[in-house]
Amino acid sequence: MNEPTLRELKSRSQKLKPVIHVGHDGITDALLAALDQTLTDHGLVKVRFTDHKSERKQLTAELAARTSSRQILLVGHTVTLYRTPQQSSGL
């Protein structure tokens, strides 16, 4: 991904509200299915960690790997993930 595209995605992510919340259950099959569907529909998704805050970096890497997405921005307890519209994780 080139720098102008990354900058544009970061800019767009500032206006988004978190639509996926990682709670006390952590990463579940239902959460992955919801995230996969949201990435398919929108491409750019904000995820908020309401629990497991100390593990957010590891969980972000796992979410990105399991949904074939890319981390765009991690600020505080919120991460923005992106997947191009033609990609699918196969979940």
Side-chain angles (χ1 to χ4, degrees):
M1 185 175 294
N2 59 28
E3 187 63 31
T5 303
L6 188 58
R7 263 195 316 252
E8 191 267 330
L9 289 171
K10 285 180 180 182
S11 174
R12 283 179 37 203
S13 75
Q14 296 295 321
K15 299 173 184 124
L16 295 177
K17 300 283 184 204
V19 293
I20 304 289
H21 296 268
V22 179
H24 69 277
D25 291 334
I27 297 176
T28 63
D29 289 338
L31 181 127
L32 286 171
L35 178 58
D36 185 61
Q37 184 61 48
T38 307
L39 282 164
T40 300
D41 293 344
H42 302 285
L44 192 64
V45 177
K46 246 186 196 179
V47 178
R48 173 102 177 140
F49 292 95
T50 55
D51 281 333
H52 303 286
K53 293 177 181 178
S54 61
E55 303 164 8
R56 70 186 182 280
K57 289 182 183 177
Q58 296 87 353
L59 292 174
T60 296
E62 183 179 348
L63 285 173
R66 292 179 68 181
T67 59
S68 303
S69 60
R70 179 177 175 177
Q71 176 185 325
I72 298 299
L73 192 61
L74 176 63
V75 177
H77 304 299
T78 305
V79 64
T80 304
L81 298 174
Y82 175 74
R83 182 171 70 199
T84 56
Q86 66 269 22
Q87 287 182 321
S88 177
S89 70
L91 286 179

Coordinates of all heavy atoms in Angstrom, one line a residue:
M1 N 0.9 -1.2 0.0 CA 0.0 0.0 0.0 C 0.9 1.2 0.0 O 1.8 1.3 0.8 CB -0.9 0.0 1.2 CG -1.9 1.1 1.3 SD -3.1 1.0 2.7 CE -3.9 -0.5 2.3
N2 N 0.6 2.1 -0.9 CA 1.5 3.3 -1.0 C 1.1 4.4 0.0 O 0.0 4.3 0.6 CB 1.4 3.9 -2.4 CG 0.1 4.3 -2.9 OD1 -0.8 4.6 -2.1 ND2 -0.1 4.3 -4.2
E3 N 2.0 5.3 0.3 CA 1.8 6.3 1.3 C 0.5 7.2 1.1 O -0.2 7.5 2.1 CB 3.0 7.2 1.4 CG 3.1 8.2 2.5 CD 3.0 7.5 3.9 OE1 3.5 6.4 4.0 OE2 2.5 8.1 4.8
P4 N 0.2 7.7 -0.1 CA -1.0 8.5 -0.3 C -2.3 7.8 0.1 O -3.2 8.3 0.7 CB -0.9 8.9 -1.7 CG 0.5 8.9 -2.1 CD 1.1 7.7 -1.3
T5 N -2.3 6.5 -0.3 CA -3.5 5.7 0.0 C -3.6 5.5 1.5 O -4.7 5.6 2.1 CB -3.4 4.3 -0.7 OG1 -3.2 4.5 -2.1 CG2 -4.6 3.5 -0.4
L6 N -2.5 5.2 2.2 CA -2.5 5.0 3.6 C -3.0 6.3 4.3 O -3.8 6.3 5.3 CB -1.1 4.6 4.1 CG -1.0 4.2 5.6 CD1 -1.9 3.0 5.9 CD2 0.5 3.8 5.9
R7 N -2.5 7.4 3.9 CA -2.9 8.7 4.5 C -4.4 9.0 4.3 O -5.1 9.4 5.2 CB -2.1 9.9 3.8 CG -0.9 10.3 4.6 CD -0.4 11.7 4.1 NE -0.4 11.7 2.7 CZ 0.7 11.7 1.9 NH1 1.9 11.7 2.5 NH2 0.7 11.8 0.6
E8 N -4.9 8.6 3.1 CA -6.3 8.8 2.8 C -7.2 7.9 3.7 O -8.2 8.3 4.3 CB -6.6 8.5 1.4 CG -8.0 9.0 0.9 CD -9.0 7.8 1.0 OE1 -8.6 6.7 0.8 OE2 -10.1 8.1 1.2
L9 N -6.7 6.7 3.9 CA -7.5 5.7 4.8 C -7.4 6.2 6.2 O -8.4 6.1 7.0 CB -6.9 4.3 4.7 CG -7.2 3.6 3.4 CD1 -6.4 2.3 3.3 CD2 -8.7 3.3 3.2
K10 N -6.3 6.7 6.7 CA -6.2 7.2 8.1 C -7.1 8.4 8.2 O -7.8 8.6 9.3 CB -4.8 7.6 8.4 CG -3.8 6.5 8.7 CD -2.4 7.0 9.0 CE -1.5 5.8 9.3 NZ -0.2 6.3 9.6
S11 N -7.2 9.3 7.2 CA -8.1 10.4 7.3 C -9.5 10.0 7.4 O -10.3 10.5 8.2 CB -7.9 11.3 6.1 OG -8.8 12.4 6.0
R12 N -9.9 9.0 6.5 CA -11.3 8.5 6.5 C -11.6 7.9 7.9 O -12.8 7.9 8.3 CB -11.5 7.5 5.4 CG -11.7 8.2 4.1 CD -11.9 7.2 2.9 NE -12.6 6.0 3.2 CZ -12.5 4.8 2.6 NH1 -11.7 4.7 1.6 NH2 -13.3 3.8 2.9
S13 N -10.7 7.2 8.5 CA -10.9 6.5 9.7 C -11.2 7.4 10.9 O -11.9 7.0 11.8 CB -9.7 5.6 10.1 OG -8.7 6.3 10.6
Q14 N -10.8 8.7 10.8 CA -11.0 9.6 11.9 C -12.5 9.9 12.1 O -12.9 10.2 13.2 CB -10.3 10.9 11.6 CG -8.8 10.8 11.6 CD -8.2 10.4 12.9 OE1 -8.6 10.9 14.0 NE2 -7.2 9.5 12.9
K15 N -13.3 9.8 11.0 CA -14.7 10.1 11.1 C -15.6 8.9 11.4 O -16.8 9.0 11.7 CB -15.1 10.6 9.7 CG -14.4 11.9 9.3 CD -14.8 12.3 7.9 CE -13.9 13.5 7.6 NZ -13.2 13.3 6.4
L16 N -15.0 7.7 11.5 CA -15.7 6.5 11.8 C -16.0 6.3 13.3 O -15.1 6.7 14.1 CB -15.0 5.3 11.3 CG -14.8 5.1 9.8 CD1 -14.0 3.9 9.5 CD2 -16.1 5.0 9.1
K17 N -17.0 5.6 13.6 CA -17.3 5.2 15.0 C -17.0 3.7 15.0 O -17.2 3.0 14.1 CB -18.8 5.4 15.3 CG -19.3 6.9 15.2 CD -18.8 7.6 16.4 CE -19.3 9.1 16.3 NZ -18.5 10.0 17.1
P18 N -16.6 3.2 16.2 CA -16.3 1.8 16.3 C -17.6 1.0 16.2 O -18.6 1.3 16.8 CB -15.8 1.6 17.7 CG -15.3 3.0 18.1 CD -16.2 4.0 17.4
V19 N -17.6 0.0 15.3 CA -18.8 -0.8 15.1 C -18.6 -2.2 15.6 O -19.6 -2.9 15.8 CB -19.2 -0.9 13.6 CG1 -19.7 0.5 13.1 CG2 -18.1 -1.4 12.7
I20 N -17.4 -2.6 15.9 CA -17.1 -3.9 16.5 C -16.5 -3.7 17.8 O -15.6 -2.8 17.9 CB -16.2 -4.8 15.6 CG1 -16.8 -4.9 14.2 CG2 -15.8 -6.1 16.2 CD1 -18.0 -5.8 14.1
H21 N -16.9 -4.4 18.8 CA -16.3 -4.2 20.2 C -15.8 -5.6 20.7 O -16.6 -6.6 20.7 CB -17.4 -3.7 21.2 CG -17.9 -2.3 20.8 ND1 -17.3 -1.2 21.3 CD2 -18.8 -1.9 20.0 CE1 -17.9 -0.1 20.8 NE2 -18.8 -0.5 20.0
V22 N -14.6 -5.6 21.1 CA -14.0 -6.8 21.6 C -14.1 -6.7 23.1 O -13.5 -5.9 23.8 CB -12.5 -7.0 21.3 CG1 -11.9 -8.2 21.9 CG2 -12.3 -7.0 19.7
G23 N -15.0 -7.6 23.7 CA -15.3 -7.6 25.1 C -14.6 -8.6 25.9 O -13.5 -9.1 25.5
H24 N -15.2 -9.0 27.0 CA -14.5 -10.0 27.9 C -14.4 -11.4 27.3 O -13.5 -12.1 27.7 CB -15.3 -10.1 29.2 CG -16.6 -10.7 29.1 ND1 -17.7 -10.0 28.7 CD2 -17.0 -12.0 29.4 CE1 -18.8 -10.8 28.7 NE2 -18.4 -12.0 29.1
D25 N -15.2 -11.7 26.3 CA -15.0 -13.0 25.6 C -13.8 -13.1 24.6 O -13.5 -14.1 24.2 CB -16.3 -13.4 24.8 CG -17.5 -13.7 25.8 OD1 -17.2 -14.1 26.9 OD2 -18.6 -13.5 25.4
G26 N -13.3 -11.9 24.3 CA -12.1 -11.9 23.4 C -12.6 -12.1 22.0 O -13.7 -11.7 21.6
I27 N -11.7 -12.7 21.2 CA -12.0 -13.0 19.8 C -12.8 -14.3 19.7 O -12.2 -15.4 20.0 CB -10.7 -13.1 19.0 CG1 -10.0 -11.7 19.0 CG2 -11.0 -13.4 17.5 CD1 -8.6 -11.7 18.4
T28 N -14.0 -14.2 19.3 CA -14.9 -15.4 19.2 C -15.2 -15.6 17.7 O -14.9 -14.7 16.9 CB -16.2 -15.2 19.9 OG1 -16.9 -14.1 19.4 CG2 -15.9 -15.0 21.4
D29 N -15.8 -16.7 17.4 CA -16.2 -17.0 16.0 C -17.2 -16.0 15.5 O -17.2 -15.5 14.4 CB -16.7 -18.4 15.8 CG -15.6 -19.5 16.0 OD1 -14.4 -19.1 15.7 OD2 -15.9 -20.6 16.3
A30 N -18.1 -15.6 16.5 CA -19.2 -14.7 16.1 C -18.6 -13.3 15.8 O -19.0 -12.6 14.9 CB -20.2 -14.6 17.3
L31 N -17.6 -12.9 16.6 CA -16.9 -11.6 16.4 C -16.2 -11.6 15.1 O -16.3 -10.6 14.3 CB -16.0 -11.3 17.5 CG -15.2 -10.0 17.4 CD1 -15.4 -9.2 18.7 CD2 -13.8 -10.2 17.1
L32 N -15.5 -12.7 14.8 CA -14.8 -12.8 13.5 C -15.8 -12.7 12.3 O -15.5 -12.1 11.3 CB -14.0 -14.0 13.5 CG -12.7 -14.0 14.3 CD1 -12.1 -15.4 14.4 CD2 -11.7 -13.0 13.8
A33 N -16.9 -13.4 12.5 CA -17.9 -13.4 11.4 C -18.5 -12.0 11.2 O -18.6 -11.6 10.0 CB -19.0 -14.4 11.7
A34 N -18.8 -11.3 12.3 CA -19.3 -9.9 12.2 C -18.2 -9.0 11.6 O -18.6 -8.2 10.7 CB -19.7 -9.5 13.5
L35 N -17.0 -9.1 12.0 CA -15.9 -8.3 11.4 C -15.7 -8.6 10.0 O -15.5 -7.7 9.2 CB -14.6 -8.5 12.2 CG -13.4 -7.7 11.8 CD1 -13.7 -6.2 11.8 CD2 -12.2 -8.1 12.6
D36 N -15.7 -9.9 9.6 CA -15.5 -10.2 8.2 C -16.6 -9.7 7.3 O -16.4 -9.1 6.3 CB -15.5 -11.8 8.1 CG -15.2 -12.2 6.7 OD1 -14.1 -11.9 6.2 OD2 -16.0 -12.9 6.1
Q37 N -17.9 -9.7 7.8 CA -19.0 -9.2 7.0 C -18.9 -7.7 6.9 O -19.1 -7.1 5.9 CB -20.3 -9.6 7.7 CG -21.5 -9.2 6.9 CD -21.6 -9.8 5.5 OE1 -21.4 -11.0 5.3 NE2 -21.8 -8.9 4.5
T38 N -18.5 -7.0 8.0 CA -18.4 -5.6 8.0 C -17.3 -5.1 7.1 O -17.4 -4.1 6.3 CB -18.2 -5.0 9.4 OG1 -19.2 -5.5 10.3 CG2 -18.2 -3.5 9.5
L39 N -16.2 -5.8 7.1 CA -15.1 -5.5 6.2 C -15.5 -5.7 4.7 O -15.1 -5.0 3.8 CB -13.8 -6.4 6.5 CG -13.0 -6.0 7.7 CD1 -12.1 -7.1 8.1 CD2 -12.2 -4.7 7.4
T40 N -16.3 -6.8 4.5 CA -16.8 -7.0 3.1 C -17.7 -5.9 2.7 O -17.6 -5.4 1.5 CB -17.5 -8.4 3.1 OG1 -16.6 -9.4 3.4 CG2 -18.0 -8.7 1.7
D41 N -18.5 -5.5 3.6 CA -19.5 -4.4 3.2 C -18.9 -3.0 3.1 O -19.3 -2.2 2.2 CB -20.6 -4.3 4.3 CG -21.5 -5.6 4.3 OD1 -21.4 -6.4 3.3 OD2 -22.2 -5.8 5.3
H42 N -17.9 -2.7 4.0 CA -17.4 -1.3 4.1 C -15.9 -1.2 3.8 O -15.5 -0.1 3.4 CB -17.7 -0.8 5.5 CG -19.1 -0.8 5.8 ND1 -20.0 0.1 5.3 CD2 -19.9 -1.6 6.6 CE1 -21.3 -0.1 5.8 NE2 -21.2 -1.2 6.6
G43 N -15.2 -2.2 4.0 CA -13.7 -2.1 3.7 C -12.9 -1.5 4.8 O -11.9 -2.1 5.2
L44 N -13.4 -0.5 5.4 CA -12.7 0.2 6.5 C -13.5 0.1 7.8 O -14.7 0.6 7.8 CB -12.4 1.7 6.1 CG -11.5 2.5 7.0 CD1 -10.1 1.9 6.9 CD2 -11.5 3.9 6.5
V45 N -13.0 -0.4 8.8 CA -13.8 -0.7 10.1 C -13.0 -0.3 11.3 O -11.8 -0.6 11.4 CB -14.1 -2.2 10.1 CG1 -14.8 -2.6 11.4 CG2 -14.9 -2.7 8.9
K46 N -13.6 0.3 12.2 CA -13.0 0.6 13.5 C -13.5 -0.5 14.6 O -14.7 -0.8 14.6 CB -13.5 2.0 14.0 CG -12.4 2.9 14.1 CD -12.8 4.2 14.7 CE -11.8 5.3 14.4 NZ -12.1 6.6 14.9
V47 N -12.5 -1.0 15.3 CA -12.8 -2.0 16.4 C -12.3 -1.4 17.7 O -11.2 -0.8 17.8 CB -12.0 -3.3 16.1 CG1 -12.2 -4.3 17.2 CG2 -12.4 -3.8 14.7
R48 N -13.2 -1.5 18.7 CA -12.9 -0.9 20.0 C -12.6 -2.1 21.0 O -13.4 -3.0 21.0 CB -14.0 -0.1 20.5 CG -13.9 0.4 21.9 CD -13.5 1.8 21.9 NE -13.4 2.3 23.3 CZ -12.5 3.1 23.8 NH1 -11.6 3.5 23.0 NH2 -12.5 3.4 25.0
F49 N -11.6 -2.0 21.8 CA -11.3 -3.0 22.8 C -11.9 -2.5 24.1 O -11.3 -1.6 24.7 CB -9.8 -3.2 23.0 CG -9.2 -3.9 21.7 CD1 -8.6 -3.2 20.7 CD2 -9.2 -5.3 21.6 CE1 -8.1 -3.8 19.6 CE2 -8.7 -5.9 20.5 CZ -8.2 -5.2 19.5
T50 N -13.0 -3.1 24.6 CA -13.5 -2.7 25.9 C -12.9 -3.6 27.0 O -13.0 -3.1 28.2 CB -15.1 -2.9 25.9 OG1 -15.4 -4.3 25.5 CG2 -15.7 -2.0 24.9
D51 N -12.4 -4.7 26.7 CA -11.6 -5.5 27.6 C -10.4 -6.0 26.9 O -10.2 -5.7 25.7 CB -12.4 -6.8 28.1 CG -13.5 -6.5 29.1 OD1 -13.3 -5.5 29.9 OD2 -14.5 -7.2 29.2
H52 N -9.5 -6.7 27.6 CA -8.2 -7.2 27.0 C -7.4 -6.0 26.5 O -6.7 -6.1 25.5 CB -8.5 -8.2 25.9 CG -9.3 -9.3 26.3 ND1 -8.8 -10.3 27.1 CD2 -10.6 -9.7 26.1 CE1 -9.7 -11.2 27.3 NE2 -10.8 -10.9 26.7
K53 N -7.5 -4.9 27.2 CA -6.8 -3.7 26.7 C -5.3 -3.8 26.6 O -4.6 -3.3 25.8 CB -7.2 -2.4 27.5 CG -8.7 -2.1 27.3 CD -9.1 -0.9 28.1 CE -10.6 -0.7 27.9 NZ -11.1 0.4 28.7
S54 N -4.7 -4.6 27.6 CA -3.3 -4.7 27.6 C -2.8 -5.7 26.5 O -1.6 -5.7 26.2 CB -2.8 -5.3 29.0 OG -3.4 -6.5 29.2
E55 N -3.7 -6.4 25.9 CA -3.3 -7.4 24.9 C -3.8 -6.9 23.5 O -3.8 -7.6 22.5 CB -4.0 -8.7 25.2 CG -3.7 -9.3 26.5 CD -4.6 -10.4 26.9 OE1 -5.5 -10.8 26.0 OE2 -4.6 -10.9 28.0
R56 N -4.1 -5.6 23.4 CA -4.7 -5.1 22.1 C -3.8 -5.3 20.9 O -4.3 -5.5 19.8 CB -5.2 -3.7 22.3 CG -4.2 -2.7 22.4 CD -4.8 -1.3 22.7 NE -3.7 -0.3 22.8 CZ -3.0 -0.1 23.9 NH1 -3.1 -0.8 25.0 NH2 -2.1 0.9 23.9
K57 N -2.5 -5.1 21.1 CA -1.6 -5.2 20.0 C -1.6 -6.7 19.4 O -1.6 -6.9 18.2 CB -0.2 -4.8 20.3 CG -0.1 -3.3 20.5 CD 1.3 -2.8 20.9 CE 1.3 -1.3 21.1 NZ 2.6 -0.8 21.5
Q58 N -1.5 -7.6 20.3 CA -1.5 -9.0 19.9 C -2.9 -9.4 19.3 O -2.9 -10.1 18.3 CB -1.2 -10.0 21.1 CG 0.2 -9.8 21.7 CD 0.2 -8.7 22.7 OE1 -0.7 -8.0 23.0 NE2 1.4 -8.6 23.4
L59 N -3.9 -8.9 19.9 CA -5.3 -9.2 19.4 C -5.5 -8.6 18.0 O -6.2 -9.1 17.2 CB -6.4 -8.8 20.4 CG -6.4 -9.6 21.7 CD1 -7.4 -9.0 22.7 CD2 -6.7 -11.1 21.4
T60 N -5.0 -7.4 17.9 CA -5.1 -6.7 16.6 C -4.4 -7.5 15.5 O -5.0 -7.6 14.4 CB -4.5 -5.3 16.7 OG1 -5.3 -4.5 17.6 CG2 -4.5 -4.6 15.3
A61 N -3.2 -8.0 15.8 CA -2.5 -8.8 14.8 C -3.3 -10.0 14.4 O -3.4 -10.5 13.3 CB -1.1 -9.1 15.3
E62 N -3.9 -10.7 15.4 CA -4.7 -11.9 15.2 C -5.9 -11.5 14.4 O -6.3 -12.3 13.5 CB -5.1 -12.5 16.5 CG -5.9 -13.8 16.4 CD -6.2 -14.4 17.7 OE1 -5.7 -14.0 18.7 OE2 -7.1 -15.4 17.6
L63 N -6.6 -10.4 14.7 CA -7.8 -10.0 13.9 C -7.4 -9.8 12.5 O -8.1 -10.2 11.6 CB -8.4 -8.8 14.5 CG -9.2 -8.9 15.8 CD1 -9.6 -7.5 16.3 CD2 -10.5 -9.8 15.6
A64 N -6.3 -9.1 12.3 CA -5.9 -8.8 10.9 C -5.6 -10.1 10.1 O -6.0 -10.2 9.0 CB -4.7 -7.8 10.9
A65 N -4.9 -11.0 10.8 CA -4.5 -12.2 10.1 C -5.7 -13.1 9.8 O -5.8 -13.7 8.7 CB -3.5 -13.0 11.0
R66 N -6.6 -13.2 10.7 CA -7.7 -14.1 10.6 C -8.8 -13.5 9.6 O -9.7 -14.3 9.2 CB -8.3 -14.5 11.9 CG -7.3 -15.3 12.7 CD -7.8 -15.7 14.0 NE -8.9 -16.7 14.0 CZ -9.6 -17.2 15.0 NH1 -9.2 -16.8 16.2 NH2 -10.6 -18.0 14.9
T67 N -8.8 -12.2 9.3 CA -9.8 -11.7 8.4 C -9.1 -11.2 7.1 O -9.8 -10.5 6.3 CB -10.5 -10.5 9.1 OG1 -9.6 -9.5 9.5 CG2 -11.3 -10.9 10.3
S68 N -7.8 -11.4 6.9 CA -7.1 -11.0 5.7 C -7.2 -9.5 5.5 O -7.4 -9.0 4.4 CB -7.6 -11.7 4.5 OG -7.6 -13.1 4.6
S69 N -7.1 -8.8 6.6 CA -7.1 -7.3 6.6 C -5.8 -6.7 7.0 O -4.9 -7.5 7.4 CB -8.3 -6.8 7.5 OG -8.1 -7.2 8.8
R70 N -5.7 -5.4 7.0 CA -4.5 -4.7 7.4 C -4.8 -3.7 8.4 O -5.8 -2.9 8.3 CB -3.9 -4.1 6.1 CG -2.6 -3.3 6.4 CD -2.0 -2.7 5.2 NE -0.9 -1.9 5.6 CZ -0.1 -1.3 4.8 NH1 -0.3 -1.4 3.5 NH2 0.9 -0.6 5.3
Q71 N -3.9 -3.6 9.4 CA -4.1 -2.5 10.4 C -3.7 -1.2 9.8 O -2.6 -1.0 9.2 CB -3.2 -2.8 11.6 CG -3.2 -1.7 12.7 CD -2.2 -2.0 13.8 OE1 -2.0 -3.1 14.2 NE2 -1.6 -0.9 14.3
I72 N -4.6 -0.2 9.9 CA -4.3 1.1 9.4 C -3.9 2.1 10.5 O -2.9 2.8 10.4 CB -5.5 1.7 8.7 CG1 -5.9 0.8 7.5 CG2 -5.3 3.1 8.2 CD1 -4.9 0.7 6.4
L73 N -4.5 2.0 11.7 CA -4.3 2.9 12.7 C -4.6 2.3 14.1 O -5.7 1.6 14.2 CB -5.1 4.1 12.5 CG -4.9 5.4 13.3 CD1 -3.5 5.9 13.1 CD2 -5.9 6.5 12.9
L74 N -3.8 2.4 15.1 CA -4.1 2.0 16.4 C -3.9 3.2 17.3 O -2.7 3.7 17.5 CB -3.1 0.8 16.8 CG -3.2 0.3 18.3 CD1 -4.6 -0.3 18.5 CD2 -2.2 -0.7 18.5
V75 N -5.0 3.6 17.9 CA -4.9 4.8 18.8 C -5.7 4.4 20.1 O -6.9 4.1 20.0 CB -5.5 6.1 18.2 CG1 -5.5 7.2 19.2 CG2 -4.8 6.4 16.9
G76 N -5.0 4.4 21.2 CA -5.6 4.1 22.5 C -6.1 2.7 22.4 O -5.4 1.7 22.2
H77 N -7.4 2.5 22.6 CA -8.1 1.2 22.7 C -8.9 0.9 21.4 O -9.8 0.1 21.4 CB -8.9 1.1 23.9 CG -8.2 1.4 25.2 ND1 -7.1 0.6 25.6 CD2 -8.3 2.3 26.1 CE1 -6.7 1.1 26.7 NE2 -7.4 2.1 27.1
T78 N -8.6 1.7 20.3 CA -9.3 1.5 19.1 C -8.3 1.3 17.9 O -7.3 2.0 17.8 CB -10.1 2.8 18.8 OG1 -10.9 3.1 20.0 CG2 -11.0 2.7 17.6
V79 N -8.7 0.3 17.1 CA -7.9 0.0 15.9 C -8.8 0.1 14.7 O -10.0 -0.2 14.7 CB -7.3 -1.4 16.0 CG1 -8.3 -2.5 16.0 CG2 -6.3 -1.7 14.9
T80 N -8.2 0.6 13.6 CA -8.8 0.6 12.3 C -8.2 -0.4 11.4 O -7.0 -0.5 11.3 CB -8.7 2.0 11.7 OG1 -9.2 3.0 12.6 CG2 -9.5 2.1 10.4
L81 N -9.1 -1.3 10.8 CA -8.7 -2.3 9.9 C -9.2 -2.0 8.5 O -10.3 -1.5 8.4 CB -9.2 -3.7 10.4 CG -8.6 -4.2 11.7 CD1 -9.3 -5.4 12.1 CD2 -7.1 -4.4 11.7
Y82 N -8.5 -2.5 7.5 CA -8.9 -2.2 6.1 C -8.6 -3.5 5.3 O -7.6 -4.2 5.5 CB -8.1 -1.1 5.5 CG -8.4 -0.9 4.0 CD1 -9.6 -0.3 3.6 CD2 -7.5 -1.3 3.1 CE1 -9.8 -0.1 2.3 CE2 -7.8 -1.1 1.7 CZ -8.9 -0.6 1.3 OH -9.2 -0.4 0.0
R83 N -9.6 -3.8 4.5 CA -9.5 -4.9 3.5 C -10.0 -4.4 2.2 O -11.1 -3.8 2.2 CB -10.2 -6.1 4.0 CG -10.0 -7.3 3.0 CD -10.5 -8.6 3.6 NE -12.0 -8.5 3.7 CZ -12.7 -9.3 4.4 NH1 -12.2 -10.2 5.2 NH2 -14.0 -9.2 4.4
T84 N -9.3 -4.6 1.1 CA -9.8 -4.1 -0.2 C -11.1 -4.9 -0.5 O -11.3 -6.0 -0.1 CB -8.7 -4.4 -1.3 OG1 -8.4 -5.7 -1.3 CG2 -7.5 -3.5 -1.1
P85 N -12.0 -4.2 -1.3 CA -13.3 -4.8 -1.5 C -13.3 -6.2 -2.2 O -14.1 -7.0 -1.9 CB -14.0 -3.8 -2.4 CG -13.3 -2.5 -2.1 CD -11.9 -2.9 -1.7
Q86 N -12.3 -6.5 -3.0 CA -12.3 -7.7 -3.8 C -11.7 -8.9 -2.9 O -11.8 -10.0 -3.3 CB -11.5 -7.6 -5.1 CG -10.0 -7.4 -5.0 CD -9.7 -5.9 -5.0 OE1 -10.6 -5.0 -4.7 NE2 -8.5 -5.5 -5.3
Q87 N -11.1 -8.6 -1.8 CA -10.5 -9.6 -0.9 C -11.6 -10.3 -0.1 O -12.6 -9.6 0.3 CB -9.5 -9.1 0.0 CG -8.2 -8.8 -0.7 CD -7.2 -8.3 0.3 OE1 -7.5 -7.5 1.3 NE2 -5.9 -8.7 0.2
S88 N -11.4 -11.5 0.3 CA -12.3 -12.2 1.2 C -11.4 -13.1 2.1 O -10.5 -13.7 1.6 CB -13.3 -13.1 0.5 OG -14.1 -13.8 1.4
S89 N -11.8 -13.2 3.4 CA -11.0 -14.1 4.3 C -11.3 -15.5 4.2 O -10.6 -16.4 4.6 CB -11.2 -13.6 5.7 OG -12.5 -13.9 6.1
G90 N -12.5 -15.8 3.6 CA -12.9 -17.2 3.5 C -13.5 -17.8 4.7 O -13.7 -19.0 4.9
L91 N -14.0 -16.9 5.6 CA -14.6 -17.4 6.8 C -16.0 -17.9 6.5 O -16.7 -17.5 5.7 CB -14.7 -16.3 7.9 CG -13.5 -15.9 8.6 CD1 -13.7 -14.8 9.6 CD2 -12.9 -17.1 9.4

